[in-house]
Structures are given as structure tokens and as C-alpha cells.
Amino acid sequence: MDFLRPAGWEEALAAKAEHPTAVPIAGGTDVMVEINSDRRRPEYLMDLNRVGDLLEWEVGEDSVRLGASVPYTRIMENLRAELPGLALASHTVASPQIRNRGGVGGNLGTASPAGDAHPVLLAAGAEVEVESVRGKRLIPIDAFYTGVKRNALEPDELIRAVRVKKADGPQQFSKVGTRNAMVIAVCAFGLALHPGSRTVRTGIGSAAPTPIRATAAEEFLNAALDEGGFWDNGKIITPAVAKQFAVLCSAACDPIDDVRGTAGYRRHAVGVLARRTLTWTWESYRGARHTTEGAA
Ligand SMILES: Cc1cc2nc3c(=O)[nH]c(=O)nc-3n(C[C@H](O)[C@H](O)[C@H](O)COP(=O)(O)OP(=O)(O)OC[C@H]3O[C@@H](n4cnc5c(N)ncnc54)[C@H](O)[C@@H]3O)c2cc1C
């Protein structure tokens, strides 16, 4: 196995163009597991750790450009206000050691349906910035996951960053595992309220071949919130609406039975997480409204 060590981004792109089968390694918390267990034996391994740009983030007026290799720990420490959903999801990834190494670029590269970043990136409506020597493109997160552990990257492309809009409302992430920490999700759910556009977006993990959104559930809830004037009156969401939202989120799943859980359990649990995260985010939204009104 040959080891490529580009000193910068342009050099990394040139190396990937020359060796499209080269496997990039960032934190190595997925790649090294595969190599150590002999599930992968790439001809070239391309170390991205000397590419400093990938470890940086920029907070713009409306969005955050998060370098692909920024570790989860940095997201938790520095971007909690801007990206609350992603910060919550980062907290649930593995252990402090893994969170100090692993990042969102690696999660996207692996594209496991169980990766914790995916539900919140879907709910936030993120874009993946990818580049090759041929140029740069932005892939909407909804189009990024193409199959089980497959993504929309071309062989000569690398992930440069993820662009995520700064939260304009409450966001939540919740995960079911077989224990409380160091656990791959049995299923997971991300929810983001977008009061600016008066919409709600979802993300479901580990309950379908790819991470998915529950679009019918979103459409139902968006219509119910609109018709009831909920965004303006800030009323409690009725149990019937929350229940139907949960039913539609469960129905969006296409899970399998595996060692971590049955398909039936996953469907059920996604519904529970959907109802809970809706209650939590809506209560935050109502609380923020009261605070704003009280201050006025
Ligand atoms: C003990 C343990 C527990 C874990 N628990 C969790 C968990 O709870 N939740 C969870 O989501 N994950 C978990 N993981 C998996 C892993 O930590 C995450 O997927 C992490 O985000 C991977 O990031 P990384 O930087 O280490 O990726 P790497 O291992 O370096 O790379 C992962 C994949 O992405 C590709 N890649 C990396 N960077 C780029 C780039 N810039 N452009 C293109 N491709 C790129 C690599 O080629 C590879 O295919 C766990 C892993 C271990 C070992």
C-alpha cells in the first residue's frame, strides 16, 4: 500500500486526479477499522492531515462553512449556537477519543445509514462542497446519499467542506442505541424548525438503506402548522397532529432486521423520536416567542 501525503489542498486534488482509487484518510476512525480488519486493502492511502484548510471553519452571515476534517469536539465547543443540531449529534458520536479525531467529512465519506451527522444535515438542508482538478460543485444533502454506504462523489473528487445554514430556530437530534454511549444508532432522528420559511425539516438515520427525510410527514406538519396559525399564535401542538406526524415518520422508514434491532422496532422507535423531538423543539420555539414578546 502506497502512502500519499499532500502538503496542501491543490496537491491533494492533483494526487486524487492521478490516483482516483486512492482512499483519503482524515481522522481514520472508519478507514483504519476497515484496514485493520482486512475489509479494505487500498492501493493508495491519501493522508489529508497536512491539509490545514480542512480543519478550519468560517461563520458567515447566514451559514457556516465547516471544513471536512473539523473534529466533532471542535463543533461541540465552537459551533453550538450556529449549528445546534450538529452539536447535539456530535455529542452522541462514540467517545471523546473518537470525537477528537473523527469529523463530518469522514461521516459523509463513509455514508453509513447509521452515521450520526446525516439526520441533522438533512434537517438543516446542508450542502456538500466537493472539488476535483476539474472544478468545484455543491451537492444538496438530499442528493448526496446514493445507496448503502455510497455517495455522490466522483472518483477524482474530495470533500472540501459542508455548508450549513445557521439555525434560525430550534433543532434537535435523538438516537436510540443499545446502551447510552459508544454506540452505533439503532435509529436516529433529526428535526429543525425554520420559522423564517415556516417549515419543518426532518432527517432519519439507520432506518433505511440511506439517511432519508420524512417528506410526507414534513408536508403534513407544515400544512397543519400553517392552517392552525401555530407559527403566529405559538399554541401547543395538538396531540393528534403530533401523533400523525409520528405515524408518517414511521411510514417513511424502510428498515431491515439486524443485530442492532428489528425493522418493526426501528419503525416504532422513529415514531417515538419524531414525536419527542417535535415536542422539544416546539416548546423551545414557544419559549423564545414568549421571551421576545415579554421584552417588547
Ligand atoms: C469505536 C468507534 C465508534 C464509533 N461510533 C460512531 C458513532 O457513534 N456515530 C457515528 O456516526 N460514527 C461512529 N463511528 C464512525 C466514525 O468515527 C465516523 O464515521 C467519523 O465521522 C469518521 O470520520 P473520520 O475523519 O475518522 O473519517 P475517516 O476514517 O478518515 O474516513 C472515512 C471515510 O471518508 C472518506 N473521507 C474522509 N475525508 C474525506 C474527504 N475530505 N473527501 C473525501 N472522502 C473523505 C475516507 O476515504 C473514508 O472512506 C465510530 C467509529 C469507531 C472506531
Side-chain angles (χ1 to χ4, degrees):
M1 190 185 320
D2 278 352
F3 200 57
L4 308 171
R5 291 204 74 207
W9 182 239
E10 301 304 326
E11 217 178 287
L13 294 180
K16 194 71 170 115
E18 194 181 344
H19 306 288
T21 59
V23 172
I25 176 166
T29 62
D30 276 326
V31 172
M32 287 314 298
V33 173
E34 294 203 318
I35 291 176
N36 285 340
S37 61
D38 250 346
R39 270 179 280 152
R40 204 169 194 181
R41 190 64 38 194
E43 196 183 352
Y44 295 97
L45 200 56
M46 185 163 78
D47 179 15
L48 295 176
N49 283 284
R50 293 206 298 165
V51 185
D53 300 357
L54 298 179
L55 288 162
E56 289 170 8
W57 65 88
E58 295 157 38
V59 179
E61 202 164 306
D62 299 321
S63 65
V64 176
R65 183 169 180 250
L66 180 73
S69 302
V70 175
Y72 294 112
T73 305
R74 295 276 96 77
I75 298 170
M76 289 154 54
E77 288 171 350
N78 299 286
L79 294 167
R80 189 174 300 278
E82 295 83 359
L83 309 178
L86 190 57
L88 282 168
S90 300
H91 260 289
T92 77
V93 175
S95 61
Q97 294 88 337
I98 300 284
R99 293 196 288 269
N100 286 341
R101 294 290 309 165
V104 174
N107 218 233
L108 288 166
T110 299
S112 158
D116 286 323
H118 312 312
V120 290
L121 294 179
L122 283 163
E127 291 176 309
V128 186
E129 184 183 322
V130 306
E131 199 170 340
S132 69
V133 290
R134 294 174 293 114
K136 197 183 278 192
R137 63 188 180 120
L138 285 177
I139 307 176
I141 193 72
D142 298 58
F144 188 77
Y145 310 106
T146 56
V148 181
K149 295 196 171 183
R150 297 177 73 86
N151 62 39
L153 279 187
E154 296 294 339
D156 62 344
E157 286 179 324
L158 291 171
I159 303 170
R160 169 67 185 80
V162 186
R163 297 189 188 190
V164 195
K165 286 213 178 69
K166 283 156 91 172
D168 61 337
Q171 301 184 347
Q172 269 295 343
F173 173 79
S174 200
K175 161 174 165 181
V176 173
T178 47
R179 59 185 180 188
N180 215 17
M182 273 295 283
V183 72
I184 301 290
V186 174
C187 62
F189 195 83
L191 188 75
L193 303 190
H194 300 286
S197 55
R198 299 192 162 199
T199 53
V200 175
R201 278 179 67 114
T202 58
I204 298 176
S206 214
T210 65
I212 51 164
R213 280 169 66 202
T215 45
E218 291 174 14
E219 281 162 20
F220 161 77
L221 184 60
N222 288 335
L225 294 178
D226 196 39
E227 279 160 27
F230 284 90
W231 292 107
D232 291 322
N233 61 32
K235 281 191 188 158
I236 294 175
I237 290 180
T238 55
V241 168
K243 189 174 172 202
Q244 181 61 10
F245 175 66
V247 166
L248 291 169
C249 286
S250 291
C253 300
D254 181 16
I256 54 165
D257 295 332
D258 68 9
V259 286
R260 280 178 281 133
T262 63
Y265 176 72
R266 286 187 156 104
R267 256 193 217 99
H268 168 76
V270 163
V272 173
L273 297 183
R275 206 168 53 224
R276 277 188 199 157
T277 52
L278 177 59
T279 308
W280 295 335
T281 48
W282 194 255
E283 280 309 302
S284 302
Y285 174 68
R286 295 176 71 230
R289 276 185 84 257
H290 283 307
T291 312
T292 321
E293 280 168 11

